[in-house]
Amino acid sequence: MQTGIRTLIPEQDIQRRVRELGEQISRDYAGQELVLVGVLKGCFLFMADLCRHIDLPLACDFLGVSSYGDRTSTSGVVRITSDLTRPVEGQHLLVVEDIVDTGLTMQYLLENLGSRKPRSIKICSLLEKPSRAVVKVPIDYLGFTIEDVFVVGYGLDFQGRFRNLRYLGVLGESGR
Ligand code: 5GP
């Protein structure tokens, strides 16, 4: 436990939900192959846990993205800082994201990946903040819906820190 951080979702709840999501994905895609497309960096713990609960033949690939502008004024202009390593034409893609906030990053990624002619694209997000949505993106597999708070831990950072926490927490006012 780190000082200045209030626990929002404890480790056991995250692990239980991630297992459920993996089992649901395994049932939905039974008999098919899947490519998990992780959105770096925030997805790395979620994707590592999720993929171990998916009982299917699958490949893991990653996209690095960064948004122009600061967090308070999301422009929706997203830059791909690191691209997929393989073509995805004809594949079933499942985009794995840490959090859908305004939805602008995911909207961009859906457009970008869609232009590569995959067989299907679905979204799996650990968290969603519906109160912040600017565009509505369809989340096929969702871990938790949360209020409009800034969360850290389990892959999510504040200024590069806190990604290693096993739980999801909210930074205290003094910590922001
Ligand atoms: P969107 O384009 O949906 O507004 O932003 C998505 C990205 O913003 C996420 O992938 C994440 O990097 C960042 N983000 C949004 N809300 C939070 C939050 O509460 N905590 C952290 N650490 N990052 C967030």
Side-chain angles (χ1 to χ4, degrees):
M1 198 70 66
Q2 301 217 13
T3 50
I5 297 179
R6 169 171 69 82
T7 302
L8 185 68
I9 306 177
E11 180 182 3
Q12 304 92 296
D13 293 10
I14 297 172
Q15 291 301 331
R16 189 184 318 116
R17 188 70 191 118
V18 172
R19 183 183 312 116
E20 287 170 1
L21 289 174
E23 289 169 355
Q24 194 186 341
I25 291 164
S26 305
R27 284 194 298 275
D28 292 355
Y29 287 90
Q32 309 189 76
E33 287 201 30
L34 192 56
V35 180
L36 298 186
V37 175
V39 185
L40 294 172
K41 297 176 187 168
C43 78
F44 80 110
L45 290 183
F46 177 40
M47 182 132 147
D49 287 339
L50 181 72
C51 73
R52 286 179 285 179
H53 290 294
I54 300 178
D55 186 17
L56 295 170
L58 64 76
C60 294
D61 210 338
F62 296 91
L63 275 173
V65 297
S66 78
S67 298
Y68 288 114
D70 57 43
R71 285 289 333 140
T72 51
S73 58
T74 312
S75 61
V77 183
V78 179
R79 188 164 56 98
I80 293 195
T81 55
S82 159
D83 206 350
L84 298 177
T85 55
R86 295 198 180 170
V88 291
E89 186 169 348
Q91 314 271 317
H92 292 293
L93 306 186
L94 183 61
V95 183
V96 180
E97 174 67 295
D98 53 358
I99 182 165
V100 174
D101 186 24
T102 62
L104 292 167
T105 302
M106 192 52 79
Q107 184 186 46
Y108 172 82
L109 288 179
L110 286 179
E111 252 176 59
N112 181 295
L113 291 169
S115 71
R116 306 182 196 201
K117 301 189 170 51
R119 190 153 166 203
S120 70
I121 309 183
K122 285 189 179 182
I123 298 172
C124 178
S125 183
L126 178 67
L127 301 169
E128 179 191 32
K129 281 186 207 169
S131 59
R132 296 254 311 161
V134 172
V135 289
K136 185 71 194 150
V137 291
I139 302 176
D140 302 281
Y141 303 98
L142 175 64
F144 304 93
T145 297
I146 61 168
E147 298 300 309
D148 181 12
V149 287
F150 191 84
V151 290
V152 295
Y154 197 62
L156 288 97
D157 75 313
F158 174 65
Q159 296 182 348
R161 293 169 61 212
F162 307 113
R163 292 192 197 274
N164 58 323
L165 303 183
R166 290 167 174 265
Y167 57 94
L168 283 154
V170 180
L171 276 185
E173 291 303 312
S174 57
R176 290 189 73 169

